[in-house]
C-alpha cells in the first residue's frame, strides 16, 4: 500500500515562510489531483490548494497570493510554499492524492504560526 509522507511543518513567527513537501512511498498511476488540506483545532478539515494533472491550480480564498502549490509527476511529490504566514494558518496540514483507483491521505504535519 502506497503511503504519503509529509514533511516541512514546524513553528514559525507571523510573516514567516514554510515549505511543505509530500512524497509517495511508491508509484501511483492515474493521478488526477494532488492537494493540501488543513484542520485547525475544533474545526473541520478544509481545502488549502489543489493542482490537477494539467497543472490547473485552485486555492482557498484565505491563502490566495500567499501560498503556492507545485507538483513533480516524475517523483510523485507535491509541495506547498507558504509565505506571509498568519496565526490563523495554524493547523495540521494533510496531503491528498486522488488517482483513478484510490484516494490517498498523508498522516499530517503540524504548522504553528506564533503572533
Amino acid at each position: 500500500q502506497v503511503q504519503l509522507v509529509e514533511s516541512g511543518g514546524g513553528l514559525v513567527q507571523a510573516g514567516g515562510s514554510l515549505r511543505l513537501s509530500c512524497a509517495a512511498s511508491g508509484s501511483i498511476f492515474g493521478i488526477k489531483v494532488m492537494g493540501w488540506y488543513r484542520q485547525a483545532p475544533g474545526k473541520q478539515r478544509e481545502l488549502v490548494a489543489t493542482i490537477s494533472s494539467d497543472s490547473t491550480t485552485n486555492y482557498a480564498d484565505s491563502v490566495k497570493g500567499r501560498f503556492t502549490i507545485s507538483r513533480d509527476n516524475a517523483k510523485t511529490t507535491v509541495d506547498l510554499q507558504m509565505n506571509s504566514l498568519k496565526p490563523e494558518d495554524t493547523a495540521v496540514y494533510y496531503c491528498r492524492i486522488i488517482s483513478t483507483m484510490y484516494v490517498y491521505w498523508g498522516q499530517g504535519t503540524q504548522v504553528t504560526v506564533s503572533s
Side-chain angles (χ1 to χ4, degrees), residues 2-6 22-25 28 95-97 104-107:
V2 175
Q3 295 182 335
L4 304 183
V5 180
E6 299 108 334
C22 173
S25 62
I28 299 177
C95 169
R96 185 176 83 161
I97 293 178
Y104 301 85
W105 284 95
Q107 82 288 351

Side-chain angles (χ1 to χ4, degrees), residues 29-69:
F29 298 100
I31 293 177
K32 298 170 66 176
V33 180
M34 306 173 84
W36 287 91
Y37 291 71
R38 67 187 181 187
Q39 187 167 18
K43 295 187 177 181
Q44 290 188 330
R45 190 173 298 188
E46 63 177 4
L47 178 148
V48 176
T50 61
I51 183 166
S52 62
S53 56
D54 64 358
S55 297
T56 299
T57 57
N58 179 50
Y59 295 92
D61 288 342
S62 59
V63 308
K64 283 181 180 177
R66 301 188 297 123
F67 292 10
T68 303
I69 190 170

Side-chain angles (χ1 to χ4, degrees), residues 66-111:
R66 301 188 297 123
F67 292 10
T68 303
I69 190 170
S70 60
R71 64 189 282 172
D72 185 329
N73 291 331
K75 298 179 180 179
T76 315
T77 61
V78 56
D79 293 348
L80 185 69
Q81 177 66 42
M82 305 185 294
N83 299 327
S84 302
L85 283 161
K86 304 175 181 180
E88 51 263 45
D89 294 318
T90 295
V92 177
Y93 284 70
Y94 298 90
C95 169
R96 185 176 83 161
I97 293 178
I98 302 174
S99 73
T100 53
M101 293 291 290
Y102 300 107
V103 177
Y104 301 85
W105 284 95
Q107 82 288 351
T109 185
Q110 177 70 46
V111 171

